[in-house]
Amino acid sequence: MAIIVQKYGGSSVADVQRIRQVAERVMRTRREGHDVVVVVSAMGDTTDDLLALAKQVTPNPDRRELDMLLTAGERIAMALVSLAIRELGGEAISFTGSQSGIITNDRHVDARIIEVRPFRVQDELARGRIVVIAGYQGVSYRREVTTLGRGGSDTTAVAMAAALGAEYCEICSDVDGIYTADPRVAPAARRIATVSYEETQELAESGAKVLNAQAVEFAKEKGIAIYARATTSPLPGADPSADGTVVRRYPPRLPGRVVGVASERDILLLEATAPGTTGRSSTPAADVLAIFDAHGVAGKQLHSAHDRVTLVVSRENLHEEERLRDALGARYGGHVQLLDNLGALSVVGAGINASFENLRRGTDALARVEIVAHDLTTSSFRITWLVLRERLDEAVRALHRTFIEEPGPAVP
Ligand code: ADP
Ligand code: ASP
Ligand code: MG
């Protein structure tokens, strides 16, 4: 019997009615003759609500205590889904991340999975049960409860699929796959039938929250096929790309072609200039970054020159912003700024930077709608412009028009 892992996101378990629908879908899978492991997110906006509650108590909530609080969300959902499956006559048992053997490092709020020891899950599957797992959480070697960063239930599902040797991992959401842009922002966006791990990872890291970036990284490492589908879609048939997106290893198809546009709204841009940044360290970057590490803040897109550092910081897992600002201000005064009016806009595709044509075409498309980039970075799979946050959605639509709706020839 093949093992199937199915993950249901927050909107899919937002109320009792939807929880019943999830239970029915799980039972259908079971009746097809599969062993089923279900990973659930917290109901609806529970995680945001819990975070808001913590912020009412303190502007700088301690990361360990946040993890104690936030893991409660998935725990509620797992018990309700398990009860709903039982109500339909299924034999289900729910487990927390710790009980399922998800072992992480001890970096609270955005821990990484180091190892999965799924013995209890395997025992229950062997007994014929459906196992329901609380996503987004694990336990460190020091036995501290941890969370995996926002969107981390996807990561739980893929890591569990790898540890159990599952046939595939279904990520079930309110959207029926990965689109060429967030369909809420760009109504002309189209579903992508098949896409490579690398492109999906870049889309996720650029803000396409339909899949978590770490989850894709795991899937790639272990060769797990991900089926991104709507919870309301039928179970995957002979061709799961017909009504969903399949993420797996693919040879680059049309190198140079943009596959999608993504954006991240909630970022900060750190700009640090000498002499304030030079301090005791040999480079300004090392000096400033020590403060980020001391506060457990992960950054992306670092650029360091001899007298200047810029760093993009995602606000997603940053919960002590005031404390960070105070620490930077005390150390560097006016030489460091955290700009809070920008968003990141990216186009993704294998080989898109083989020449600068895509970069120039994108920058021209933005100029036509009078959007000027504050900053620009590239990697082999991605071009990222930082633009005014208030123009971000418009910028996504402009690039989607240029690269997806009227793409022209692929750039070699
Ligand atoms: P879940 O709670 O199921 O994990 P998320 O809210 O995390 O769902 O992710 C699904 C949402 O991601 C969609 O509703 C959609 O608005 C958004 N999204 C952003 N970029 C994309 C994209 N490229 N393709 C599909 N959905 C996207
Ligand atoms: N509930 C968590 C979040 O909102 C994890 C998840 O949904 O994947 O980020
Ligand atoms: Mg999600």
Side-chain angles (χ1 to χ4, degrees):
M1 244 203 300
I3 301 176
I4 308 283
V5 176
Q6 296 179 332
K7 177 257 172 178
Y8 294 96
S11 53
S12 304
V13 292
D15 55 38
V16 171
Q17 180 57 24
R18 281 177 236 219
I19 285 177
R20 283 204 186 102
Q21 284 163 2
V22 163
E24 274 158 19
R25 194 172 187 280
V26 171
M27 288 299 282
R28 251 185 286 144
T29 313
R30 175 81 195 151
R31 281 197 294 274
E32 287 201 345
H34 302 294
D35 277 341
V36 192
V37 173
V38 181
V39 175
V40 290
S41 292
M43 295 170 70
D45 295 329
T46 303
T47 307
D48 287 331
D49 295 345
L50 291 173
L51 268 172
L53 211 53
K55 286 274 160 79
Q56 282 180 44
V57 176
T58 164
N60 295 302
D62 175 76
R63 294 165 74 101
R64 178 189 181 277
E65 301 309 323
L66 266 186
D67 279 350
M68 296 302 268
L69 178 70
L70 297 180
T71 46
E74 269 66 13
R75 194 169 175 140
I76 293 169
M78 78 180 194
L80 292 175
V81 169
S82 178
L83 288 171
I85 295 171
R86 284 165 167 268
E87 192 59 19
L88 295 178
E91 270 201 68
I93 179 165
S94 64
F95 283 141
T96 63
S98 159
Q99 290 172 316
S100 338
I102 307 273
I103 315 294
T104 72
N105 63 7
D106 55 8
R107 198 183 148 98
H108 285 291
V109 169
D110 56 358
R112 276 185 73 89
I113 297 177
I114 300 195
E115 192 187 345
V116 181
R117 299 179 187 161
F119 310 122
R120 292 191 70 181
V121 177
Q122 285 162 325
D123 286 351
E124 295 299 338
L125 290 176
R127 287 196 184 106
R129 293 205 167 127
I130 295 165
V131 182
V132 184
I133 297 175
Y136 175 56
Q137 54 180 268
V139 65
S140 75
Y141 283 112
R142 295 187 201 164
R143 296 182 176 254
E144 288 288 353
V145 169
T146 52
T147 59
L148 307 176
R150 297 306 304 267
S153 298
D154 297 348
T155 317
T156 305
V158 173
M160 200 38 86
L164 297 171
E167 189 158 305
Y168 55 83
C169 178
E170 256 187 282
I171 302 285
C172 303
S173 184
D174 57 359
V175 59
D176 63 349
I178 303 176
Y179 276 61
T180 47
D182 185 340
R184 289 179 210 256
V185 175
R190 320 192 260 260
R191 183 170 53 76
I192 308 172
T194 57
V195 58
S196 68
Y197 292 121
E198 290 78 6
E199 288 167 330
T200 310
Q201 199 176 341
E202 290 284 346
L203 282 169
E205 271 164 14
S206 310
K209 70 179 188 141
V210 60
L211 267 181
N212 173 289
Q214 210 193 116
V216 185
E217 186 191 320
F218 269 53
K220 176 176 154 193
E221 221 174 271
K222 311 281 183 184
I224 299 285
I226 299 181
Y227 297 173
R229 308 174 67 76
T231 299
T232 50
S233 297
L235 298 178
D239 177 12
S241 70
D243 53 1
T245 296
V246 175
V247 184
R248 57 160 37 125
R249 199 165 318 247
Y250 283 108
R253 291 149 301 173
L254 269 172
R257 175 85 79 190
V258 169
V259 295
V261 183
S263 65
E264 186 170 0
R265 175 167 290 280
D266 220 4
I267 59 157
L268 293 171
L269 177 68
L270 168 99
E271 286 190 339
T273 50
T277 51
T278 48
R280 281 160 284 123
S281 303
S282 50
T283 66
D287 206 32
V288 177
L289 298 182
I291 293 192
F292 278 75
D293 277 341
H295 286 75
V297 179
K300 37 183 162 182
Q301 293 165 46
L302 169 74
H303 179 72
S304 171
H306 71 287
D307 62 347
R308 187 166 179 267
V309 183
T310 62
L311 175 70
V312 175
V313 181
S314 166
R315 267 224 184 93
E316 207 173 40
N317 296 310
L318 170 61
H319 304 298
E320 303 169 86
E321 186 176 328
E322 284 196 21
R323 195 172 285 159
L324 175 71
R325 282 183 181 277
D326 290 347
L328 288 169
R331 176 82 175 81
Y332 303 111
H335 293 289
V336 165
Q337 288 189 67
L338 276 177
L339 302 183
D340 186 15
N341 60 345
L342 300 170
L345 167 74
S346 304
V347 294
V348 168
I352 60 171
N353 286 317
S355 78
F356 291 115
E357 180 149 356
N358 283 313
L359 188 154
R360 288 187 292 112
R361 206 198 287 172
T363 304
D364 284 350
L366 292 176
R368 280 198 296 277
V369 288
E370 291 172 2
I371 293 175
V372 180
H374 181 95
D375 204 320
L376 171 66
T377 48
T378 62
S379 72
S380 51
F381 276 77
R382 163 157 53 145
I383 308 169
T384 300
W385 294 262
L386 297 187
V387 304
L388 279 180
R389 189 180 292 141
E390 64 200 32
R391 307 287 308 276
L392 191 58
D393 288 355
E394 204 184 332
V396 167
R397 289 188 285 272
L399 292 194
H400 193 268
R401 261 194 313 277
T402 299
F403 287 110
I404 310 285
E405 291 160 61
E406 41 196 58
V411 178

